[in-house]
């Protein structure tokens, strides 16, 4: 996997990578990670990726991270792991 660029964000660590004919957007928050794979055929210029991460998209990403955390906490409680 080849690193392309960091995408600055106030809340999340975001990296753009290229691998196997795809661009990969990796968004990290604490122990959680979301990845989005985009075909290089669908995205001719990776420089447009930061603009694609608009406010609406990032608010959905934030909600998904909250849901991931709630799911993880719930399974830990059900299984006496925490």
């Amino acid at each position: 996997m080849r690193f392309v660029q960091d995408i600055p964000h106030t809340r999340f660590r975001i990296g753009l990578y290229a691998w196997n004919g795809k661009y990969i957007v990796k968004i990290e928050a604490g122990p959680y990670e979301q990845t989005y794979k985009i075909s290089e055929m669908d995205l001719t210029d990776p420089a447009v990726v930061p603009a694609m991460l608009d406010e609406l998209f990032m608010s959905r990403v934030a909600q998904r991270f909250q849901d991931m955390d709630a799911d993880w906490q719930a399974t830990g409680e059900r299984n006496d792991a925490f």
Side-chain angles (χ1 to χ4, degrees):
M1 187 169 358
R2 178 178 62 85
F3 174 77
V4 176
Q5 74 179 71
D6 277 322
I7 299 172
H9 193 270
T10 57
R11 236 175 124 182
F12 307 115
R13 182 170 185 230
I14 305 174
L16 179 63
Y17 301 85
W19 181 72
N20 203 23
K22 294 181 177 30
Y23 289 108
I24 299 170
V25 178
K26 184 164 79 165
I27 306 170
E28 299 176 64
Y32 306 111
E33 174 180 296
Q34 295 177 43
T35 58
Y36 298 85
K37 296 178 183 176
I38 308 150
S39 171
E40 287 181 352
M41 302 297 281
D42 294 337
L43 187 66
T44 56
D45 184 4
V48 302
V49 171
M52 294 173 67
L53 307 180
D54 61 16
E55 187 176 331
L56 178 59
F57 178 80
M58 293 309 296
S59 69
R60 299 283 298 153
V61 166
Q63 181 60 55
R64 200 165 293 113
F65 277 129
Q66 290 175 350
D67 293 344
M68 291 168 71
D69 185 58
D71 292 343
W72 185 246
Q73 294 303 319
T75 195
E77 290 169 8
R78 283 192 309 273
N79 295 288
D80 295 322
F82 303 127

